[in-house]
Amino acid sequence: NEYIDGTDPSDAGSLKSPPPIYAAEAGLTIDYWDGIKGLKVTDLTNDPNYPDNPTSTESLTTFSAAQNRGNYFGARITGFISPPETGEYQFWVASDDYSELWLSTDDSPNNTKKVAYVDGATKSTQFDKYLGQASELIMLEKGKFYYIEGIYKENGWDDHFLVEWSGPAVTRQLLGSPYIFKIGRAHV
């Protein structure tokens, strides 16, 4: 006898554990690392406290960090997107100072690719100052979750970080609800 999944119930070693159960919550997570000088994303990612020891963590309802939070910090926004329709999507970033937007081919952070970036600084609504601010068209499937991560670095003066997107059934807009999620293991 075999189960539908091909395991043999008489062979305890062939029994598979049940798939993990996940719970989705609307929003994204932002982690801040304070007291880090420099303009570049690498100034943050090379810091010994990154990524495991942020100074603080908050929740976001859109892919937009608080403006003019302070000076000498870096931040990382993480979560998942789930597109409303299958098709090609495009992403745009605006930031002060440097930033990077990473998107996975699935729900795993291990499969990310840098899709857009700012090497400098833009105004908060300036999505066309640098060529790298706009992603190429990216095929996404309805109902699937895709890991997304944005990293930015602030040195001094103004600061912001925003991500817009567009695609089938989504006119160009700030990336937000109902398409963004924090996901973790559910407690059962």
Side-chain angles (χ1 to χ4, degrees):
N1 289 346
E2 283 189 0
Y3 287 118
I4 292 173
D5 69 358
T7 60
D8 179 350
S10 64
D11 178 9
S14 76
L15 295 177
K16 296 179 182 177
S17 58
I21 300 171
Y22 290 92
E25 177 185 341
L28 298 167
T29 300
I30 185 166
D31 295 314
Y32 291 103
W33 289 264
D34 293 331
I36 301 174
K37 293 188 177 184
L39 303 167
K40 297 181 179 180
V41 169
T42 54
D43 294 322
L44 169 61
T45 59
N46 290 333
D47 188 87
N49 287 315
Y50 184 88
D52 298 323
N53 298 305
T55 306
S56 62
T57 300
E58 300 172 11
S59 292
L60 299 174
T61 57
T62 62
F63 211 121
S64 175
Q67 289 190 346
N68 300 320
R69 178 185 179 271
N71 295 319
Y72 310 120
F73 72 89
R76 178 184 62 187
I77 299 173
T78 57
F80 299 83
I81 60 171
S82 184
E85 298 294 333
T86 296
E88 293 181 323
Y89 289 79
Q90 189 168 21
F91 298 83
W92 293 265
V93 294
S95 65
D96 186 345
D97 292 302
Y98 286 54
S99 67
E100 298 175 353
L101 181 66
W102 295 76
L103 182 65
S104 182
T105 55
D106 55 25
D107 62 356
S108 172
N110 297 326
N111 298 320
T112 59
K113 175 184 172 188
K114 184 166 54 172
V115 297
Y117 60 92
V118 171
D119 279 346
T122 70
K123 295 178 183 171
S124 63
T125 57
Q126 187 178 25
F127 291 92
D128 59 357
K129 183 175 179 182
Y130 301 105
L131 185 61
Q133 285 181 261
S135 75
E136 299 198 5
L137 293 174
I138 300 168
M139 180 62 74
L140 301 176
E141 291 181 43
K142 177 182 179 175
K144 288 184 74 174
F145 286 95
Y146 297 88
Y147 177 80
I148 191 165
E149 178 175 299
I151 305 173
Y152 80 105
K153 181 64 187 73
E154 164 59 16
N155 194 49
W157 303 96
D158 296 334
D159 58 87
H160 57 269
F161 182 47
L162 301 94
V163 174
E164 290 187 344
W165 75 325
S166 72
V170 178
T171 57
R172 186 168 166 177
Q173 61 186 268
L174 185 63
L175 180 54
S177 291
Y179 311 113
I180 58 173
F181 300 92
K182 295 184 271 184
I183 298 182
R185 283 273 293 154
H187 299 284
V188 252

